Amino acid sequence: MTLGELLAELDCDALGGEMHALIRELYPTCRSITGDGVRETLRRLGNLIELTTTEVASGTDVYDWTVPREWNIRDAYVKNRAGERVIDFRESNLHVVSYSVPVHRTMSLAELRGHLHTIPEHPDWIPYRTSYYSEGWGFCLPHSQLVQLPDGEYEVCIDSTLEDGHLTYGECLLRGATDDEVLISCHVCHPSLCNDNLSGIAVAAFLAKQLAPLSLRNSYRFLFVPGTIGSICWLSGNEERLQKIRHGLVLTCVGDAGSITYKRSRAGDAVIDRAVAHVLESAGRPFEVRDFVPYGYDERQYCSPGFDLPVGCMMRTPFGEFPEYHSSADNLEFVRAESLAHSLATALRVFDVLEHNLVCRNLKPKGEPRLGKRGLYDLIGGERVQDSQLALLWVLNQSDGRHDLLAIAEKSGLPFSAVRDAATALLQTDLLEEEPRR
Amino acid sequence: MTLGELLAELDCDALGGEMHALIRELYPTCRSITGDGVRETLRRLGNLIELTTTEVASGTDVYDWTVPREWNIRDAYVKNRAGERVIDFRESNLHVVSYSVPVHRTMSLAELRGHLHTIPEHPDWIPYRTSYYSEGWGFCLPHSQLVQLPDGEYEVCIDSTLEDGHLTYGECLLRGATDDEVLISCHVCHPSLCNDNLSGIAVAAFLAKQLAPLSLRNSYRFLFVPGTIGSICWLSGNEERLQKIRHGLVLTCVGDAGSITYKRSRAGDAVIDRAVAHVLESAGRPFEVRDFVPYGYDERQYCSPGFDLPVGCMMRTPFGEFPEYHSSADNLEFVRAESLAHSLATALRVFDVLEHNLVCRNLKPKGEPRLGKRGLYDLIGGERVQDSQLALLWVLNQSDGRHDLLAIAEKSGLPFSAVRDAATALLQTDLLEEEPRR
Amino acid sequence: MTLGELLAELDCDALGGEMHALIRELYPTCRSITGDGVRETLRRLGNLIELTTTEVASGTDVYDWTVPREWNIRDAYVKNRAGERVIDFRESNLHVVSYSVPVHRTMSLAELRGHLHTIPEHPDWIPYRTSYYSEGWGFCLPHSQLVQLPDGEYEVCIDSTLEDGHLTYGECLLRGATDDEVLISCHVCHPSLCNDNLSGIAVAAFLAKQLAPLSLRNSYRFLFVPGTIGSICWLSGNEERLQKIRHGLVLTCVGDAGSITYKRSRAGDAVIDRAVAHVLESAGRPFEVRDFVPYGYDERQYCSPGFDLPVGCMMRTPFGEFPEYHSSADNLEFVRAESLAHSLATALRVFDVLEHNLVCRNLKPKGEPRLGKRGLYDLIGGERVQDSQLALLWVLNQSDGRHDLLAIAEKSGLPFSAVRDAATALLQTDLLEEEPRR
């Protein structure tokens, strides 16, 4: 099966439902940048796709960073005098600041307050907070609950461990006919947050699952990594591979109801940037393309100046631009099956461009060749020309070794598929050949 | 006489009338891509300008093409039972599909129908159809006539020949002071069609006639060629000349009432593209400039990637965008004397730019030189500066060997004529010299 | 004190008042392109700043020019029969055409008329006229006065001298830590005209006064030169210095009530062009940026093709676009203290960009470095990022040796000051170093 055939038959309803079910399943797990939550998440993904897991020991130096100690948590609560859990980790793992050190003490509300985080503007939501690189602890709770906490003593318990261990990441490589790689990366370090984390995980996993049985030209490498430190670990361990990465996408926040937002790579005009823009423009739905900024997800690492990889970031509503971001409201209702499916289909359409974006050379470049005698042209003169025939002329005219098929689509205003089909037809004649990749 | 003087004295009314008269004279001739119609047309043009005719034998290989057999036609008709010509080639040569093979049979209307072409949306017009590269035959007629043809037997006769012979094209070279060539090309292969064919022929012929007596810097080469196969023949026979072609224009559909449309060369920013745009912008009349597309007239051949010549296409209403296109309604009323004259004058203004578009070098580039002591500047300080004096400053400031005069006109917003006049004045002093052409 | 500290404490009210007082003091002096008026003006500026005066002898060849004879004037008048001065140089030095040769004769009004200049559209204003390079003489007067002059004989006297002498210009060099020079140039050749002449002189002098005590990176060279011939003299005498000029500004018409207009250097994208644009855009007040034209003030000389220096021109309302231009209405009321102060502050802000516009190199370019451990990042995850922290990321991401800090400000949309502060902080760590200037 080819990617084109896959796209033609794509059952978005079914796939959307399956992705949402996966998110539902992964939702309760308490993930962080290290620990068993990530391992459990990767184990579950291993049921869907062939996943290799790498463990990097605490204390390992990776560029300017050091892999931190591993954090795990069993339980946490704040109890009132009556022994009732007024804050309970078992109800939501967001209640505990991620990477909180263990604590078990009784303290006054006044002292406890310094460790409590809320969102006053959204008094019913629990915020998500982390404290990776400075030792501390804290609880998160709805603001409405905070303001009603009576004064008095509270028993505070965080039953966590922060010890030498490992950072864990997952990787799935689909080998294509060439070594040219497409990198797809998502972060796996957030606990019960759906759009910011699980949506990217689900779409990436199902992309890998869909592509796995296909015969592909490019190789596709999927990374499921803890944010920042995880991608830095992978980069550090794979420098020799980086030159093979021709294109890349970070996937995040791809499940909400908003339209697609694409953030360009640092270069701004990489093939991936042009391919995504072309697919979005052709689709006739609202979208936004933004320039690179060095703030966001792991594209910050891939696009750091020492690597400058052609990696963009595909989102729906960007992080920080939906109020539910980093709160308990980024929940199972906030992500939608149809959005997940649309994000997946869009990525597949982008891959379809990448699969077929050849640079060709016209072998009869002097004057137009006769298409009719090669069965490529209907001709009783005087009829209106078809897109398919225009595409033949465009491919022949522009295939001087300097224009890839995507550039021809951009210049002609024709859909990439028309240009690709024309090139495919011409490549079967004596008129066109593929240029070797540089 | 110089081109500037010619332009100053141009009698557009008279020239428009003469061109329209030429079109009237050439209108009845049945042209095709080969045959006596083209020969007769070129013979007539030979009365106006010095024309060299080239005959290329059928079967000659020209790049991917082969010169076809020569087609000639004496008569053709469809007769009803009563022996009346219901379709009669003598009334309009559009009635016969061009390149129809000979036929003389009686057949039912049902069989005949498969060979009849109409334009249902314009029931009173005869369409123009060709069948150059697949053997066949057919008739064209008004749809209103087709629907009233009674059933029954018809005598069908096309008294044509399709035999080894020649393809014929005409060429007129006006030698200027330099070998730099301006190519003007028009097609001569359409029968009784006025805008699409005869307008280009008439304007090209009268351009040659007007330029012939002038003292010119560039050489001008006019081609009167059958579309596609004719320009391919010329290119094939003149490869060594192509490097001399600095600028080129295909002329077609230059007689209708619409405003001018210019289609850029493949490069898009060739001097010809910039010159035409500047002339059109300066004229203060509506116009449109479009990017190159590899569909149209013989610019398709000149701009094929193996040649990539700087050739644009000057039209009024582009082919296919007026309903009369390729029908009997593209007739003597459809083309207008004033449009022909305006097209001719516009081309002459473009040539005037090409004639004077030098690259110069300021010989006193450090500080401004004193214009006053060279008689180039009126100066009681404090008066408003004139365009003519601004133009002197612009030419001096920008003549560093990297800007042609057209670029200076574009940058300054001054008319090209002001910049040209400034350069002409400065070249007569010790302040400016022409750079050798690269 | 640093420039940043100076800017933070700038007392615009006081400085505006001082500049206007300087203008008031210099207003009555009769300046021209040579003569004692310029010397007196420079002498007065020498009280404010350390000024070197250069005298260039009449007859000296400077490129295409020759230094003219020196012109001085003691008195001039037109007396009527009754011996009354109907035009009196002592009332306004604009009454005499600059560089008028001596004359003392009686003549009829008819003859006199040929030597009288007025502005009919502004009948109460005296025009400003010069006759530097053609010997002649004349008077300027209000049109309303001209039309009421009775016929009859008049005694005409211009008590001037036009003799071998010198052209005088002033120069103030503030040496910075590097040889890279910023050139600030203004003209000093106009008599009692305020915006066109004295405003530029005042702002330039006070810029030098403000900068003089500071510790600066660039060197700053202030030129007070007669227009055209003065800058040409300076250029001619300082060719070997020109390669050190990295940036330059011509200051003129910087005192009127209009908003700032900046005219780009010939290159159009020099650092000075980008720096001024960034400062104006950041200020949130109306402004206009225009392309270079080879007409205006001494930027014409600095931007002649033999030098092509990166020198722009800062104005408020451009010359010729306010009706008071070159007339007695360009007077002490036409220039305003607050406009002078705003022009000065704007120039200082531009210099502040030039002082800090380094090109840096990220020394840990693989992945993002840890800012937290260097005290550069507050981090409980999940809070909104601050501009100051974004600026750190931008500087690190873009400091690949190809982007100066101004480019990073432009690309990020952050104010230059934020980018500069981030770079300053990073340069104190092991993360960033300055690239050597090329």
Side-chain angles (χ1 to χ4, degrees):
Chain A
M1 198 189 221
T2 68
L3 178 49
E5 290 161 355
L6 173 73
L7 272 164
E9 298 175 10
L10 209 62
D11 183 344
C12 282
D13 283 355
L15 284 166
E18 290 178 58
M19 286 188 281
H20 202 275
L22 174 63
I23 289 174
R24 232 169 10 243
E25 193 181 337
L26 297 173
Y27 183 63
T29 306
C30 182
R31 281 164 294 272
S32 184
I33 53 173
T34 60
D36 290 330
V38 173
R39 284 191 195 92
E40 169 59 21
T41 300
L42 296 178
R43 192 198 56 70
R44 173 60 187 83
L45 297 180
N47 296 342
L48 280 173
I49 57 177
E50 210 165 312
L51 205 66
T52 310
T53 299
T54 300
E55 300 272 346
V56 186
S58 300
T60 305
D61 285 329
V62 281
Y63 302 127
D64 196 48
W65 300 67
T66 304
V67 173
R69 285 179 292 170
E70 182 175 329
W71 184 71
N72 284 291
I73 181 166
R74 273 171 301 271
D75 193 8
Y77 56 81
V78 172
K79 284 187 182 162
N80 62 13
R81 283 261 177 111
E84 296 159 341
R85 291 189 171 209
V86 295
I87 306 176
D88 187 356
F89 173 73
R90 295 173 310 192
E91 283 178 4
S92 168
N93 54 40
L94 296 177
H95 276 313
V96 177
V97 169
S98 193
Y99 257 67
S100 283
V101 295
V103 61
H104 196 171
R105 279 172 49 208
T106 299
M107 63 186 71
S108 67
L109 179 60
E111 183 181 353
L112 177 57
R113 246 183 231 283
H115 296 270
L116 299 182
H117 304 276
T118 67
I119 312 172
E121 308 86 60
H122 295 287
D124 297 331
W125 298 353
I126 309 167
Y128 164 58
R129 292 286 183 274
T130 66
S131 185
Y132 300 142
Y133 297 103
S134 65
E135 287 205 2
W137 61 267
F139 285 88
C140 300
L141 70 165
H143 195 70
S144 58
Q145 187 186 353
L146 172 64
V147 297
Q148 293 179 358
L149 276 190
D151 277 337
E153 295 291 295
Y154 288 90
E155 180 193 346
V156 173
C157 173
I158 299 181
D159 181 11
S160 65
T161 55
L162 186 57
E163 296 169 346
D164 280 350
H166 292 82
L167 172 149
T168 315
Y169 66 80
E171 192 167 2
C172 167
L173 175 62
L174 306 179
R175 287 192 195 283
T178 71
D179 273 354
D180 294 340
E181 280 191 15
V182 182
L183 182 76
I184 298 97
S185 179
C186 60
H187 63 288
V188 296
C189 50
H190 286 26
S192 294
L193 295 171
C194 285
N195 201 34
D196 181 11
N197 196 14
L198 291 172
S199 71
I201 294 170
V203 170
F206 273 79
L207 281 171
K209 182 166 182 261
Q210 297 293 313
L211 293 182
L214 304 186
S215 166
L216 295 164
R217 177 184 183 86
N218 296 299
S219 296
Y220 289 77
R221 185 180 298 273
F222 292 82
L223 297 184
F224 299 86
V225 290
T228 306
I229 184 68
S231 54
I232 284 176
C233 280
W234 184 83
L235 285 161
S236 170
N238 292 277
E239 278 206 15
E240 80 291 345
R241 289 186 202 285
L242 301 184
Q243 69 191 54
K244 296 182 181 165
I245 297 179
R246 300 288 184 141
H247 324 283
L249 277 183
V250 167
L251 297 179
T252 180
C253 300
V254 287
D256 64 274
S259 56
I260 285 187
T261 303
Y262 176 70
K263 173 181 160 184
R264 293 190 180 98
S265 73
R266 183 175 184 264
D269 60 353
V271 173
I272 185 70
D273 302 321
R274 295 163 48 221
V276 175
H278 186 83
V279 165
L280 293 176
E281 282 159 15
S282 304
R285 295 173 58 155
F287 69 93
E288 189 185 338
V289 174
R290 299 183 177 185
D291 278 333
F292 177 77
V293 299
Y295 189 65
Y297 290 94
D298 283 325
E299 69 277 9
R300 293 162 66 161
Q301 311 310 325
Y302 304 125
C303 294
S304 59
F307 302 123
D308 201 13
L309 294 174
V311 175
C313 179
M314 193 167 105
M315 305 163 273
R316 301 188 78 88
T317 306
F319 78 92
E321 300 181 21
F322 51 95
E324 296 84 354
Y325 173 70
H326 274 195
S327 85
S328 57
D330 179 5
N331 59 20
L332 289 167
E333 285 69 48
F334 188 65
V335 294
R336 301 181 177 199
E338 63 263 35
S339 295
L340 294 163
H342 175 250
S343 298
L344 176 124
T346 301
L348 288 175
R349 278 186 209 103
V350 172
F351 298 160
D352 194 41
V353 172
L354 300 178
E355 285 290 304
H356 296 93
N357 187 32
L358 308 180
V359 177
C360 297
R361 183 167 291 278
N362 179 341
L363 298 171
K364 308 263 189 204
K366 294 182 174 179
E368 287 177 12
R370 281 193 63 192
L371 297 174
K373 73 179 180 191
R374 294 175 180 87
L376 294 175
Y377 215 70
D378 307 321
L379 51 165
I380 264 270
E383 308 289 352
R384 194 111 209 166
V385 75
Q386 304 297 316
D387 268 11
S388 60
Q389 306 201 338
L390 267 184
L392 294 165
L393 297 177
W394 271 107
V395 170
L396 287 168
N397 187 276
Q398 296 290 305
S399 288
D400 52 9
R402 292 183 296 122
H403 302 94
D404 59 16
L405 296 183
L406 181 54
I408 299 175
E410 291 165 344
K411 201 162 193 168
S412 66
L414 295 168
F416 181 81
S417 57
V419 172
R420 177 200 63 201
D421 291 348
T424 303
L426 288 166
L427 284 166
Q428 286 158 12
T429 70
D430 58 339
L431 296 179
L432 199 71
E433 71 177 9
E434 189 186 344
E435 284 271 288
R437 294 213 187 182
R438 277 151 298 187
Chain B
M1 197 188 221
T2 68
L3 178 48
E5 290 161 356
L6 173 73
L7 271 165
E9 297 174 12
L10 209 63
D11 183 345
C12 281
D13 283 356
L15 283 165
E18 290 179 57
M19 287 188 281
H20 202 274
L22 175 62
I23 289 174
R24 228 162 22 238
E25 194 181 334
L26 297 173
Y27 183 63
T29 306
C30 183
R31 283 164 292 273
S32 184
I33 53 172
T34 61
D36 290 331
V38 173
R39 284 192 195 90
E40 169 58 20
T41 299
L42 297 178
R43 192 199 55 71
R44 173 59 187 85
L45 297 180
N47 296 343
L48 279 174
I49 57 176
E50 212 165 311
L51 206 67
T52 309
T53 299
T54 300
E55 301 271 348
V56 185
S58 300
T60 305
D61 285 328
V62 280
Y63 302 127
D64 196 50
W65 300 66
T66 304
V67 174
R69 286 179 292 171
E70 182 175 328
W71 184 70
N72 283 291
I73 182 165
R74 273 171 301 272
D75 194 8
Y77 54 81
V78 173
K79 283 188 184 162
N80 62 14
R81 283 264 177 107
E84 297 159 341
R85 291 187 171 210
V86 296
I87 306 176
D88 186 356
F89 174 73
R90 296 174 308 191
E91 283 178 5
S92 168
N93 54 40
L94 295 178
H95 276 312
V96 176
V97 169
S98 192
Y99 258 68
S100 283
V101 296
V103 60
H104 196 170
R105 280 172 47 209
T106 299
M107 61 186 74
S108 66
L109 179 59
E111 183 181 355
L112 177 57
R113 245 182 231 282
H115 295 270
L116 298 183
H117 304 276
T118 67
I119 313 173
E121 308 87 58
H122 295 287
D124 296 331
W125 298 353
I126 310 167
Y128 163 58
R129 292 285 182 275
T130 67
S131 184
Y132 301 142
Y133 296 103
S134 66
E135 286 205 5
W137 61 268
F139 285 87
C140 301
L141 70 164
H143 195 69
S144 59
Q145 187 186 352
L146 173 63
V147 296
Q148 293 180 357
L149 276 188
D151 278 337
E153 295 290 297
Y154 289 90
E155 178 192 349
V156 174
C157 173
I158 297 181
D159 181 11
S160 65
T161 54
L162 186 57
E163 295 169 348
D164 280 349
H166 292 83
L167 172 148
T168 315
Y169 67 79
E171 192 167 3
C172 167
L173 175 63
L174 306 178
R175 286 192 195 283
T178 71
D179 272 355
D180 294 340
E181 279 191 17
V182 183
L183 182 78
I184 298 96
S185 177
C186 61
H187 63 287
V188 296
C189 50
H190 287 24
S192 294
L193 295 170
C194 286
N195 200 33
D196 180 12
N197 195 15
L198 291 172
S199 71
I201 295 171
V203 170
F206 274 79
L207 281 171
K209 181 165 184 264
Q210 296 294 312
L211 293 181
L214 304 186
S215 165
L216 296 163
R217 177 184 183 85
N218 296 300
S219 296
Y220 289 77
R221 184 180 298 273
F222 292 83
L223 297 183
F224 299 87
V225 291
T228 306
I229 184 68
S231 54
I232 284 176
C233 280
W234 184 83
L235 285 162
S236 170
N238 292 275
E239 279 206 17
E240 81 290 346
R241 287 186 203 285
L242 300 185
Q243 69 191 55
K244 296 182 181 164
I245 296 179
R246 298 290 184 139
H247 322 282
L249 277 183
V250 167
L251 296 178
T252 180
C253 300
V254 286
D256 64 275
S259 56
I260 286 187
T261 303
Y262 176 70
K263 173 181 160 183
R264 293 191 181 97
S265 74
R266 182 174 184 265
D269 60 352
V271 173
I272 185 70
D273 301 321
R274 295 164 46 221
V276 176
H278 186 83
V279 165
L280 293 175
E281 282 159 16
S282 304
R285 295 173 57 155
F287 69 92
E288 189 185 338
V289 175
R290 299 184 177 185
D291 278 333
F292 177 77
V293 298
Y295 189 65
Y297 289 93
D298 284 325
E299 70 277 10
R300 293 162 66 161
Q301 310 309 324
Y302 303 126
C303 294
S304 59
F307 301 124
D308 200 15
L309 294 175
V311 175
C313 179
M314 194 168 104
M315 306 163 271
R316 301 189 78 87
T317 306
F319 78 91
E321 300 181 21
F322 50 95
E324 296 84 355
Y325 173 69
H326 275 195
S327 85
S328 57
D330 179 5
N331 59 20
L332 289 167
E333 284 69 48
F334 188 65
V335 294
R336 301 180 178 201
E338 64 264 34
S339 294
L340 294 163
H342 176 250
S343 299
L344 176 123
T346 300
L348 287 174
R349 279 187 208 103
V350 171
F351 298 160
D352 195 41
V353 171
L354 300 179
E355 285 292 302
H356 296 94
N357 187 31
L358 308 179
V359 177
C360 297
R361 182 168 290 278
N362 178 342
L363 298 172
K364 308 263 188 205
K366 294 181 175 179
E368 286 177 14
R370 281 193 61 194
L371 297 173
K373 71 179 182 191
R374 294 175 181 86
L376 294 175
Y377 215 71
D378 306 320
L379 52 165
I380 266 269
E383 307 289 353
R384 196 112 207 165
V385 74
Q386 305 297 314
D387 268 12
S388 60
Q389 305 201 338
L390 268 184
L392 293 165
L393 297 177
W394 272 106
V395 169
L396 287 168
N397 186 276
Q398 296 290 305
S399 288
D400 52 8
R402 292 184 295 124
H403 301 94
D404 59 15
L405 296 183
L406 181 54
I408 300 176
E410 291 166 344
K411 200 161 195 169
S412 67
L414 294 168
F416 182 80
S417 57
V419 172
R420 176 201 63 202
D421 291 349
T424 304
L426 288 165
L427 284 166
Q428 286 157 14
T429 71
D430 58 340
L431 296 179
L432 199 71
E433 71 177 11
E434 189 185 345
E435 284 271 289
R437 295 213 187 183
R438 278 151 297 185
Chain C
M1 197 188 221
T2 68
L3 179 47
E5 290 161 354
L6 173 73
L7 272 165
E9 298 175 11
L10 210 63
D11 182 346
C12 281
D13 285 354
L15 284 165
E18 289 179 57
M19 287 188 280
H20 202 276
L22 175 63
I23 290 173
R24 230 165 18 239
E25 195 181 335
L26 297 173
Y27 184 61
T29 305
C30 182
R31 281 164 294 272
S32 183
I33 53 172
T34 61
D36 290 330
V38 173
R39 283 191 195 92
E40 170 57 21
T41 300
L42 296 178
R43 193 197 56 70
R44 173 61 187 84
L45 297 180
N47 296 342
L48 281 174
I49 56 175
E50 211 164 313
L51 205 66
T52 309
T53 300
T54 300
E55 300 272 347
V56 186
S58 300
T60 305
D61 286 328
V62 281
Y63 302 126
D64 197 48
W65 300 67
T66 304
V67 174
R69 285 179 292 171
E70 181 175 329
W71 185 70
N72 284 292
I73 182 165
R74 271 170 302 272
D75 194 9
Y77 56 81
V78 173
K79 283 188 183 161
N80 62 13
R81 282 265 177 110
E84 297 159 342
R85 291 188 172 210
V86 296
I87 306 176
D88 186 356
F89 173 74
R90 296 173 309 191
E91 283 178 3
S92 167
N93 55 39
L94 295 178
H95 276 312
V96 177
V97 169
S98 193
Y99 258 69
S100 283
V101 296
V103 61
H104 196 171
R105 280 172 47 208
T106 299
M107 61 187 73
S108 67
L109 179 60
E111 184 181 355
L112 177 57
R113 246 183 231 283
H115 295 271
L116 299 183
H117 304 276
T118 67
I119 314 173
E121 309 85 57
H122 295 287
D124 297 331
W125 298 353
I126 310 167
Y128 164 57
R129 292 286 183 273
T130 67
S131 183
Y132 301 141
Y133 297 103
S134 66
E135 287 205 2
W137 61 268
F139 285 88
C140 301
L141 70 165
H143 196 69
S144 58
Q145 187 186 353
L146 173 63
V147 297
Q148 293 180 0
L149 276 189
D151 278 337
E153 295 291 296
Y154 289 88
E155 180 193 346
V156 173
C157 173
I158 297 180
D159 181 10
S160 66
T161 55
L162 187 56
E163 296 168 347
D164 279 352
H166 292 83
L167 172 148
T168 314
Y169 67 79
E171 192 167 2
C172 167
L173 174 62
L174 306 178
R175 286 193 195 281
T178 71
D179 273 355
D180 294 340
E181 280 190 15
V182 182
L183 183 78
I184 299 97
S185 178
C186 61
H187 63 288
V188 295
C189 50
H190 286 24
S192 295
L193 296 171
C194 286
N195 201 33
D196 180 12
N197 195 14
L198 291 171
S199 71
I201 294 170
V203 170
F206 273 79
L207 282 171
K209 182 164 181 263
Q210 297 294 311
L211 294 182
L214 304 186
S215 166
L216 296 163
R217 177 184 183 84
N218 296 298
S219 296
Y220 289 78
R221 186 180 297 274
F222 292 83
L223 297 183
F224 299 86
V225 291
T228 306
I229 183 69
S231 54
I232 285 175
C233 280
W234 183 83
L235 285 162
S236 170
N238 292 276
E239 279 206 15
E240 80 291 345
R241 288 186 203 284
L242 302 184
Q243 69 192 54
K244 296 181 180 165
I245 296 179
R246 299 289 182 140
H247 323 283
L249 277 183
V250 168
L251 296 178
T252 180
C253 300
V254 286
D256 64 274
S259 56
I260 286 187
T261 304
Y262 176 70
K263 172 181 160 184
R264 293 190 180 97
S265 74
R266 182 174 184 265
D269 60 352
V271 173
I272 185 69
D273 301 321
R274 295 164 46 222
V276 176
H278 186 83
V279 165
L280 294 174
E281 282 160 14
S282 305
R285 295 173 57 156
F287 69 92
E288 189 185 339
V289 175
R290 299 184 177 184
D291 278 333
F292 178 77
V293 298
Y295 190 65
Y297 290 94
D298 284 325
E299 69 276 9
R300 293 162 67 161
Q301 311 309 324
Y302 304 125
C303 294
S304 59
F307 302 122
D308 200 14
L309 294 175
V311 175
C313 179
M314 193 168 104
M315 305 164 272
R316 300 189 78 88
T317 306
F319 79 92
E321 300 181 22
F322 51 95
E324 296 84 355
Y325 173 69
H326 275 195
S327 85
S328 56
D330 179 5
N331 59 20
L332 290 167
E333 284 69 47
F334 188 65
V335 294
R336 302 182 177 198
E338 64 264 34
S339 295
L340 294 163
H342 176 250
S343 299
L344 176 124
T346 301
L348 288 175
R349 278 186 209 104
V350 171
F351 298 160
D352 195 41
V353 172
L354 300 179
E355 285 291 303
H356 296 93
N357 187 32
L358 308 179
V359 177
C360 297
R361 182 168 290 279
N362 179 342
L363 299 171
K364 307 262 188 204
K366 293 182 175 178
E368 288 177 13
R370 282 193 62 194
L371 297 173
K373 72 179 181 192
R374 294 175 181 87
L376 294 175
Y377 215 70
D378 307 320
L379 51 163
I380 262 271
E383 307 289 352
R384 196 111 208 165
V385 75
Q386 305 297 315
D387 269 12
S388 60
Q389 306 201 339
L390 268 183
L392 293 166
L393 298 177
W394 272 106
V395 169
L396 287 168
N397 186 275
Q398 296 290 305
S399 288
D400 52 8
R402 292 183 296 123
H403 301 94
D404 59 16
L405 296 184
L406 181 54
I408 299 176
E410 291 166 344
K411 201 161 191 167
S412 66
L414 294 168
F416 182 81
S417 57
V419 172
R420 177 201 62 202
D421 291 348
T424 302
L426 288 165
L427 284 166
Q428 286 158 13
T429 71
D430 58 338
L431 297 179
L432 199 72
E433 70 178 9
E434 189 186 344
E435 284 271 289
R437 293 212 189 184
R438 278 151 297 186

